[in-house]
Every structure is written in structure tokens, then in C-alpha cells.
Amino acid sequence: MMDLALIVLVSGVCLLSLLLLAAVAVVRVLSDRRRRDRLHQWAAQHRWTVTPHPAVDWGARLPGGNRAGVSVALSTTMNGYVVSVAEYAYTATQITTGSDGVGGTTTSTSSHTHHFVVTVVRLPHSCPSVAVERRGTISKLAGNLFGSSGVPTGHPEFDHHFRITAADAGAVRGLVTPALVQAHLAGAVPTWSLYGAELLSYRPGRITDPEHLPGIAAPLVHVARLLTGGGIGPV
């Protein structure tokens, strides 16, 4: 009788856990749907376009390297530049092996999805590949695209805090101008990478409020203006 009661109790707890997980999943789906609907409504009102799962290769330059990780992109034109703000994600799986306490081993697997907001500004023409990132950070801005050695600018404070990687070290001086150096030191612009005609930056998070989209894009547009104002020529 006690065994039957225990079985019923355990079954009830398992059922309740499953119902709670299902409820959480439903709430999450409904929340994501409302968020997507709000993005579409806001975009239509403010002359932005929404592209679900755009055919882009930005993931190759982002953490996790998930080429299919961009789920949605919202685009417009700001100060003459075509700008996109997108959501990107990748899932990391960790396998942990330990002792079971009686001479054997146990293996557990856990997964975590990382979310990022990505900003891309398209320049009028292709440029030499270059990236600026903060020193002491693990970044995919440069990745395997430009090599790992830093290119000094000759500005001690900038070179202390930032690292420049470039496919052509000789092109850095024409790209990273004194005005751009000062903008980085003032914290007015984000770290970024330039590959072809695409200027890219990213930060952890998701697009929670579409009203923030212009503010998210503006700092990278400022980088684009400083780059193109510095006399960059096509390659």
C-alpha cells in the first residue's frame, strides 16, 4: 500500500513538473510572438523593413560562428547609410564527467543559448579589412579573417586599451584616423570589424524595445562617417 502511495506521489510530482514546463514554454512562445508583432508594427510606422532569417554570413564574424544564427534583421537608411540591426544566437553545449561516488563515472550535458544584438552598416564601397577590439577580451570581431597580431597606431593610450587587426597593416593609418581614435577613447563608438563593405558590431542581449533601434545603430553609423570621411578609397 505504501509502495502504491509512493508511486502515485512520484507520478503526481512528475506530472506537475511537466505541466509547469509546458506552461513556461507556452508563456515564452506567446511572449516572443507579441515581441515579433511589436517589431513589425513599429517597423511599418517608422519606415524600417523586417527580414526574418536574412541570407547573410555575419555569423562567421560573431561568437559561436553560427552562420544560420541571425533570426531577424530590421533595416533602414540613416545619414545615407543602409543600416541593419539584427538578433543573433548560438547554443553552446557543455559535457561534464565526474565520479558517481562508487568507482564509476557519470556524464551530464548542459546547453546554454547566447543572444546578441548585431549592427551592420553598409559602406558605399569595399574597403581594406580591419577590426578594432578592446584588449583583454575574447572576441570574434577579427576572428580568423585578419590574423592575430595587433597593429600599433602610435597613440599610446589607444594602443594600451585597444587592439587593431588588419589584413593589410599599411591600410590602418588611412582607416583609423585621429578622429576615430579620439571617438574610441571617449567611449562614443563601439568596437567593430570591417570586411568588404560591411561594418559590423555586436553586444549581448536581444531587441526588447524597437524604440531603441535608432540609438543602437547610431554609434556604428558614427564610425562609418569617420571612416568614409577619412578618405577611404575602394579596393
Side-chain angles (χ1 to χ4, degrees):
M1 204 64 163
M2 289 294 294
D3 289 343
L4 179 59
L6 181 60
I7 291 172
V8 171
L9 177 62
V10 171
S11 299
V13 171
C14 291
L15 179 60
L16 180 60
S17 298
L18 290 174
L19 290 174
L20 287 174
L21 288 174
V24 169
V26 170
V27 170
R28 186 174 298 168
V29 168
L30 292 175
S31 177
D32 283 345
R33 183 175 299 172
R34 287 194 296 268
R35 191 173 65 91
R36 288 197 302 269
D37 290 344
R38 187 181 179 192
L39 289 178
H40 281 271
Q41 293 170 2
W42 183 91
Q45 294 171 357
H46 295 82
R47 297 183 179 180
W48 287 61
T49 59
V50 181
T51 307
H53 302 287
V56 294
D57 60 357
W58 302 335
R61 299 159 62 188
L62 295 168
N66 184 6
R67 292 180 178 272
V70 179
S71 58
V72 64
L74 294 95
S75 305
T76 192
T77 300
M78 295 178 63
N79 297 109
Y81 298 95
V82 177
V83 177
S84 296
V85 180
E87 286 194 339
Y88 165 84
Y90 77 95
T91 300
T93 301
Q94 182 177 10
I95 300 176
T96 304
T97 302
S99 172
D100 63 1
V102 292
T105 59
T106 60
T107 300
S108 61
T109 302
S110 60
S111 298
H112 180 69
T113 299
H114 302 267
H115 297 274
F116 296 87
V117 176
V118 183
T119 305
V120 176
V121 177
R122 292 162 187 81
L123 302 185
H125 46 66
S126 294
C127 303
S129 300
V130 63
V132 175
E133 57 191 340
R134 283 195 170 274
R135 292 191 179 276
T137 61
I138 300 174
S139 173
K140 272 287 292 187
L141 273 174
N144 296 319
L145 298 174
F146 316 124
S148 58
S149 60
V151 180
T153 64
H155 192 294
E157 186 179 0
F158 179 89
D159 292 339
H160 176 74
H161 292 287
F162 296 93
R163 182 169 71 102
I164 298 177
T165 50
D168 178 8
V172 169
R173 181 168 297 180
L175 294 168
V176 185
T177 61
L180 185 50
V181 165
Q182 292 301 322
H184 274 290
L185 292 175
V189 295
T191 53
W192 50 271
S193 67
L194 176 60
Y195 187 68
E198 289 186 334
L199 181 64
L200 178 149
S201 184
Y202 66 89
R203 69 187 192 187
R206 303 186 71 179
I207 301 172
T208 56
D209 186 347
E211 294 290 345
H212 295 161
L213 289 174
I216 292 172
L220 194 62
V221 172
H222 186 36
V223 173
R225 296 178 66 183
L226 290 172
L227 286 170
T228 53
I232 300 175
V235 296

